[in-house]
């Protein structure tokens, strides 16, 4: 069972991080949901609840009586303790922890990593008040180091889900070749991809109003924008940023298309050269990635590689981790900027899955390809077949 395996993985990390207890607090989580919950126990908590992982001990849940049976049915906990209608979470947790405890408790708060910052401030204050009543003598620390490891180091089942999501994404990219033509708008291409998600019984990897990201260059707005009514023209460069969810895990990939002008039989050579430079930068990055290097080192090496081919810098990071979320937290392939120094200086590890997305900017548009790779003890591998050449499409009127 995948969620049990992730909880056991978390328990193994407690000793490495000098933590006695990892406590995940939740309540009415249809409104505010800790991003770690889908990873370890994705059930509805209406009342105040705690998932508690003990160093060298048990994995338990304290829940309201309404969620007790649901927590037991998951099969992920050693102990489930529901408090009854005439009881309270505070009473149950007080019995568990006892007074004058000197334990180190990790909670889900972080200044720099949104994926580790799932504890609402009001709930933190409530828990802090309870500890004060128990004359707590221990330490409260951020669970960020634990969560970085837990989210970043994928087990085989997680990688397989991401790989299958990537394969489905690639299938839809291929099917789009017959749809993209002169006269078709960004919005129509967007609708095509979303319709394919419905046909295959899946959903896009990120917000419905922005996935896929469709860019008909050179006219498209920059940044994370929704689709427009800009039409494909003869000679348009079309970039699509897209992913789907399979068994709770995301893909994130980008593909590039060129629509021929009337008298063309192939894309202009300088556009193909730009595409190949980006493609080769991804292949270089794949070979550079290995346990122990940092995301900052990798980002710098990839930028130099592309610059040596005669192309300028790009404004975004080289890559990010993919998993339960399309931007999954943990180590980042990027430059050091205020607030994320720790993420780019974090040593990479076997089991990390990254989406790698360098870019070359030309007057005709942004050439950005994105491929997913997994770091393994034996080297880094692509999770799907990478795009090797610019997709060249006949113009044809839509």
């Amino acid at each position: 069972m995948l969620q049990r395996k992730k909880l056991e993985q978390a328990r193994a990390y407690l000793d490495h991080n000098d933590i006695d207890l990892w406590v995940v607090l939740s309540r009415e989580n249809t409104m505010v949901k800790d991003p770690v919950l889908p990873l370890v126990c994705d059930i509805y908590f209406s009342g105040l609840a705690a998932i508690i992982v003990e160093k060298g001990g048990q994995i338990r849940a304290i829940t309201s009586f309404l969620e007790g049976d649901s927590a037991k049915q998951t099969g992920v906990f050693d102990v489930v303790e529901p408090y009854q209608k005439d009881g309270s979470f505070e009473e149950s947790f007080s019995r568990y922890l006892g007074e004058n405890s000197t334990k180190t408790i990790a909670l889900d708060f972080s200044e720099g990593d949104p994926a580790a910052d799932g504890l609402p401030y009001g709930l933190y204050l409530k828990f802090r008040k309870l500890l004060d009543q128990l004359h707590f003598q221990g330490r409260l620390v951020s669970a960020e180091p634990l969560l970085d490891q837990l989210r970043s180091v994928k087990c085989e089942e997680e990688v397989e889900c991401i790989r299958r999501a990537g394969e489905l994404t690639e299938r839809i990219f291929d099917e789009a070749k017959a749809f993209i033509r002169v006269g078709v708008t960004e919005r129509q291409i967007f609708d095509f991809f979303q319709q394919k998600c419905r046909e295959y019984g899946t959903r896009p990897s990120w917000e419905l109003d922005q996935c896929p990201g469709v860019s008909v260059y050179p006219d498209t707005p920059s940044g994370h924008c929704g689709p427009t009514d800009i039409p494909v023209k003869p000679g348009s460069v079309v970039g699509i940023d897209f992913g789907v969810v399979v068994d709770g895990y995301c893909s994130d990939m980008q593909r590039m298309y060129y629509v021929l002008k009337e008298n063309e039989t192939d894309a202009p050579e300088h556009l193909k050269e730009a595409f190949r430079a980006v493609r080769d930068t991804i292949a270089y990055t794949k070979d550079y990635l290995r346990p122990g290097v940092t995301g900052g080192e990798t980002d710098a090496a990839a930028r130099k590689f592309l610059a040596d081919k005669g192309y300028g810098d790009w404004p975004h990071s080289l890559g990010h981790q993919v998993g339960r979320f399309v931007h999954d937290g943990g180590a980042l392939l990027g430059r050091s900027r205020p607030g994320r120094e720790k993420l780019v200086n974090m040593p990479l590890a076997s089991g990390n899955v990254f989406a790698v997305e360098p870019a070359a900017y030309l007057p005709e548009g942004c050439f950005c390809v994105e491929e997913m790779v997994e770091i393994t003890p034996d080297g880094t591998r692509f999770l799907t077949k990478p795009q090797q050449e610019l997709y060249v499409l006949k113009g044809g009127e839509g």
Side-chain angles (χ1 to χ4, degrees):
M1 182 181 300
L2 181 52
Q3 291 181 329
R4 173 69 189 194
K5 184 174 289 189
K6 296 303 289 185
L7 283 166
E8 291 172 348
Q9 186 180 345
R11 181 168 57 190
Y13 289 147
L14 292 182
D15 193 46
H16 301 162
N17 292 284
D18 192 25
I19 296 169
D20 297 309
L21 302 175
W22 174 37
V23 178
V24 181
L25 296 166
S26 183
R27 62 180 175 186
E28 198 55 65
N29 59 353
T30 56
M31 295 182 180
V32 179
K33 188 170 188 174
D34 190 323
V36 81
L37 282 175
L39 202 60
V40 297
C41 181
D42 197 15
I43 67 172
Y44 169 52
F45 292 115
S46 62
L48 184 53
I51 295 171
I52 304 169
V53 181
E54 304 170 349
K55 179 172 68 176
Q58 295 180 315
I59 298 168
R60 66 175 62 224
I62 298 174
T63 76
S64 80
F65 72 97
L66 291 171
E67 282 82 57
D69 287 343
S70 178
K72 292 174 183 177
Q73 288 170 358
T74 66
V76 303
F77 301 111
D78 299 315
V79 177
V80 175
E81 182 181 351
Y83 53 89
Q84 301 305 312
K85 287 183 284 187
D86 56 350
S88 71
F89 171 86
E90 288 81 358
E91 292 171 346
S92 294
F93 190 85
S94 297
R95 284 195 300 271
Y96 167 72
L97 186 65
E99 292 195 357
N100 301 306
S101 171
T102 59
K103 294 185 181 298
T104 297
I105 300 176
L107 299 174
D108 296 353
F109 60 83
S110 168
E111 292 186 20
D113 189 350
D117 194 34
L119 177 61
Y121 184 58
L123 194 49
Y124 169 81
L125 294 177
K126 186 178 183 68
F127 187 67
R128 177 76 258 188
K129 181 179 179 180
L130 172 59
L131 293 181
D132 288 343
Q133 292 171 351
L134 294 173
H135 308 291
F136 180 65
Q137 303 297 311
R139 295 189 304 144
L140 286 182
V141 299
S142 169
E144 181 178 349
L146 163 68
L147 291 174
D148 284 340
Q149 292 171 296
L150 182 65
R151 193 173 290 282
S152 297
V153 179
K154 271 68 176 183
C155 62
E156 291 181 6
E157 293 93 330
E158 291 178 289
V159 175
E160 176 61 16
C161 289
I162 299 170
R163 186 192 65 77
R164 288 191 288 114
E167 286 187 342
L168 180 54
T169 304
E170 187 64 52
R171 181 187 306 176
I172 297 173
F173 276 132
D174 285 341
E175 291 173 343
K177 294 174 184 176
F179 183 81
I180 299 171
R181 57 196 183 277
V182 171
V184 172
T185 67
E186 287 185 350
R187 195 177 309 278
Q188 288 171 321
I189 297 171
F190 175 90
D191 290 342
F192 172 87
F193 275 79
Q194 292 218 338
Q195 177 59 36
K196 286 296 176 181
C197 285
R198 292 188 288 270
E199 288 180 14
Y200 288 117
T202 185
R203 59 180 173 85
S205 289
W206 57 95
E207 283 73 18
L208 287 174
D209 64 339
Q210 293 192 7
C211 185
V214 182
S215 300
V216 175
Y217 295 110
D219 301 317
T220 194
S222 63
H224 294 157
C225 299
T228 73
D229 292 321
I230 295 171
V232 174
K233 302 172 183 176
S236 287
V237 174
V238 180
I240 300 176
D241 186 0
F242 180 56
V244 301
V245 179
V246 171
D247 290 338
Y249 285 81
C250 299
S251 62
D252 188 10
M253 301 161 66
Q254 293 187 54
R255 294 292 179 258
M256 299 297 303
Y257 306 77
Y258 176 76
V259 180
L260 291 169
K261 297 178 181 178
E262 184 175 350
N263 296 321
E264 288 181 325
T265 58
D266 199 359
E269 189 62 30
H270 72 288
L271 299 185
K272 294 193 294 183
E273 288 177 357
F275 173 88
R276 290 166 183 160
V278 173
R279 174 202 67 188
D280 292 347
T281 303
I282 293 174
Y284 172 82
T285 300
K286 178 186 77 69
D287 293 338
Y288 189 95
L289 288 169
R290 59 194 181 276
V293 303
T294 69
E297 293 167 344
T298 308
D299 181 274
R303 290 180 195 276
K304 182 179 185 305
F305 182 89
L306 188 59
D308 288 346
K309 290 182 173 291
Y311 296 92
D313 202 4
W314 65 87
H316 56 270
S317 294
L318 171 64
H320 57 84
Q321 298 208 42
V322 181
R324 283 279 183 176
F325 295 91
V326 71
H327 289 181
D328 207 41
L332 180 71
L333 309 182
R335 288 182 283 205
S336 184
R337 292 176 180 169
R340 66 178 194 180
E341 296 90 347
K342 182 178 179 181
L343 299 180
V344 300
N345 292 317
M346 189 181 301
L348 308 183
S350 178
N352 292 170
V353 175
F354 285 99
V356 180
E357 50 179 333
Y361 283 80
L362 277 69
E364 292 87 349
C366 169
F367 282 72
C368 187
V369 185
E370 187 171 17
E371 307 287 0
M372 297 188 301
V373 299
E374 178 201 5
I375 300 176
T376 79
D378 302 319
T380 301
R381 64 181 182 119
F382 287 114
L383 290 187
T384 61
K385 184 178 179 180
Q387 183 179 359
Q388 294 297 327
E389 298 291 344
L390 183 63
Y391 295 148
V392 177
L393 310 178
K394 294 181 179 179
E397 288 289 339

